[in-house]
């Protein structure tokens, strides 16, 4: 296997890790409006992801940095063509981080309510837009012979991409709902289980339609296996939710994300950004990659740094593994 193929796989793994981890905390952000009934319950939801949300975003930074270094042509075309949606995602992530930190800095109800509203919208919009972006990458966009995007924003809002956005939004919300059931106690845990069943059923229908569409248009044998794993994992996750086995349900909802994203990358390879104008103008792992020497240096750096990051993040999750409920929420000290 050539190094550019290795780095295509590595970038796929980074995106899978990002969507697995950031997926549930996007979902929890959405649930601050859908599940929580009062301020204490909102604080419970926010506290379930409070120690880990910023660590989850490391995977996005790693994926973006790896793409820039390993496939600079892909990075340039992607960020120039998808400038507006990616800028909107970036703004949302910035505001979201500020909202987590600033929400409790003042006691006024209006102040806290406004930041809670910001958490909701800045979780919902990226969850939707990531699906739109990746669906367009798989479908193909208007790239000319100079590897430049010549379409517009409206071209990105096609039915397939919008369906992809709905799939990631509902799937992340389901993943977050299962996570809340795993991390909480009391009434909020029971309501999370009931909501997970409803959201999961909706997710299953949308995901099956999107993945079948992808398989028919772009798929092969390997992507078909990933499709079957994704759908089966989602169905069994719903069974686990109904049985009250939150740990299994969370692992299986995560497996759904892993298999679904893997399917998208399997249908994409060896392209990294197909052209809808002419297949010969597509960006591939060959014509979009850096030099072999650059890829070799990156491989050594990644081999040293990646295990350290994974061990540290795993330790963080272990430290904050206990369930919480409204009884654990202290009264404001203001």
């Amino acid at each position: 296997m050539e190094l550019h193929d290795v780095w295509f796989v590595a970038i796929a793994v980074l995106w899978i890790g990002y969507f697995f981890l950031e997926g549930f905390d996007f979902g929890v952000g959405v649930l601050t409006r859908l599940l929580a009934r009062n301020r204490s319950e909102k604080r419970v939801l926010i506290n379930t992801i409070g120690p880990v949300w910023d660590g989850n975003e490391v995977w996005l930074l790693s994926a973006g940095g790896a793409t820039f270094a390993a496939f600079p042509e892909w990075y340039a075309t992607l960020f120039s063509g998808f400038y507006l949606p990616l800028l909107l995602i970036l703004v949302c992530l910035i505001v979201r981080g500020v909202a987590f930190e600033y929400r409790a800095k003042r006691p006024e109800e209006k102040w806290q309510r406004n930041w809670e509203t910001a958490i909701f919208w800045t979780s919902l919009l990226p969850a939707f837009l990531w699906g739109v972006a990746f669906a367009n990458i798989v479908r193909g966009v208007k790239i000319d012979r100079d590897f430049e995007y010549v379409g517009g924003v409206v071209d990105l809002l096609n039915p397939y991409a919008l369906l992809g956005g709905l799939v990631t939004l509902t799937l992340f919300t389901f993943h977050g709902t299962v996570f809340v059931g795993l991390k909480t106690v009391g009434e909020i845990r029971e309501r999370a289980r009931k909501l997970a069943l409803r959201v999961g059923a909706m997710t299953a229908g949308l995901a099956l339609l999107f993945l079948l569409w992808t398989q028919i248009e772009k798929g092969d044998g390997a992507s078909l296996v990933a499709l079957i794993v994704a759908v089966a994992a989602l169905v069994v996750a719903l069974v686990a939710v109904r049985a009250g086995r939150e740990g299994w349900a969370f692992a299986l909802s995560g497996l759904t994300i892993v298999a679904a994203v893997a399917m998208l990358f399997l249908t994409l390879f060896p392209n990294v950004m197909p052209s809808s104008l002419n297949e010969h103008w597509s960006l591939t792992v060959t014509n979009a990659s850096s030099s072999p020497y650059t890829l070799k240096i990156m491989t050594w750096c990644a081999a040293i740094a990646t295990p350290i990051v994974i061990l540290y993040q795993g330790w963080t999750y272990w430290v904050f593994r206990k369930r919480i409920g409204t009884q654990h929420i202290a009264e404001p000290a203001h």
Side-chain angles (χ1 to χ4, degrees), residues 63-293:
T67 304
F68 173 77
F71 299 101
E73 195 73 54
W74 183 13
Y75 183 93
T77 304
L78 176 65
F79 277 80
S80 61
F82 291 35
Y83 182 82
L84 187 58
L86 291 178
L87 177 63
L88 183 56
I89 290 173
L90 179 60
V91 170
C92 284
L93 294 179
I94 293 171
V95 174
R96 188 169 183 263
V98 172
F100 281 128
E101 298 298 333
Y102 276 37
R103 177 192 167 277
K105 296 301 183 184
R106 290 173 57 178
E108 293 89 347
E109 181 177 350
K110 183 178 180 181
W111 171 272
Q112 296 188 4
R113 186 172 62 249
N114 287 342
W115 286 119
E116 289 164 359
T117 300
I119 291 172
F120 170 76
W121 285 109
T122 56
S123 298
L124 185 148
L125 287 174
F128 175 75
L129 290 173
W130 279 127
V132 173
F134 269 84
N136 274 298
I137 292 173
V138 172
R139 175 178 176 265
V141 292
K142 294 180 178 179
I143 299 175
D144 64 13
R145 66 174 68 249
D146 297 319
F147 302 139
E148 295 182 0
Y149 179 71
V150 293
V153 174
V154 176
D155 296 316
L156 303 179
L157 303 178
N158 54 79
Y160 176 76
L162 294 176
L163 177 60
L166 290 176
V167 170
T168 52
L169 175 58
T170 54
L171 182 55
F172 290 169
T173 303
F174 173 67
H175 195 39
T177 309
V178 174
F179 179 77
V180 169
L182 180 65
K183 286 287 294 179
T184 58
V185 295
E187 183 184 352
I188 194 170
R189 176 187 177 189
E190 182 61 25
R191 278 191 278 116
R193 185 182 69 84
K194 294 178 180 177
L195 181 60
L197 292 172
R198 296 197 297 270
V199 175
M202 183 189 306
T203 303
L206 291 171
L208 181 60
L209 177 59
F210 177 74
L211 295 179
L212 283 175
W213 191 344
T214 305
Q215 178 66 26
I216 292 170
E217 293 286 334
K218 304 282 187 177
D220 56 14
S223 63
L224 179 60
V225 172
L227 184 155
I228 294 171
V229 171
V231 174
L234 183 54
V235 171
V236 180
L238 287 170
V239 174
V241 169
R242 185 176 292 275
R245 302 297 297 271
E246 290 100 342
W248 281 104
F250 180 72
L252 289 163
S253 66
L255 178 58
T256 302
I257 293 174
V258 170
V261 179
M263 179 188 175
L264 296 183
F265 277 94
L266 285 169
T267 59
L268 193 59
F269 185 82
N271 294 320
V272 294
M273 205 165 179
S275 172
S276 60
L277 299 178
N278 188 323
E279 64 178 11
H280 298 294
W281 299 343
S282 298
L283 290 168
T284 68
V285 293
T286 303
N287 64 23
S289 70
S290 294
S291 68
Y293 181 75

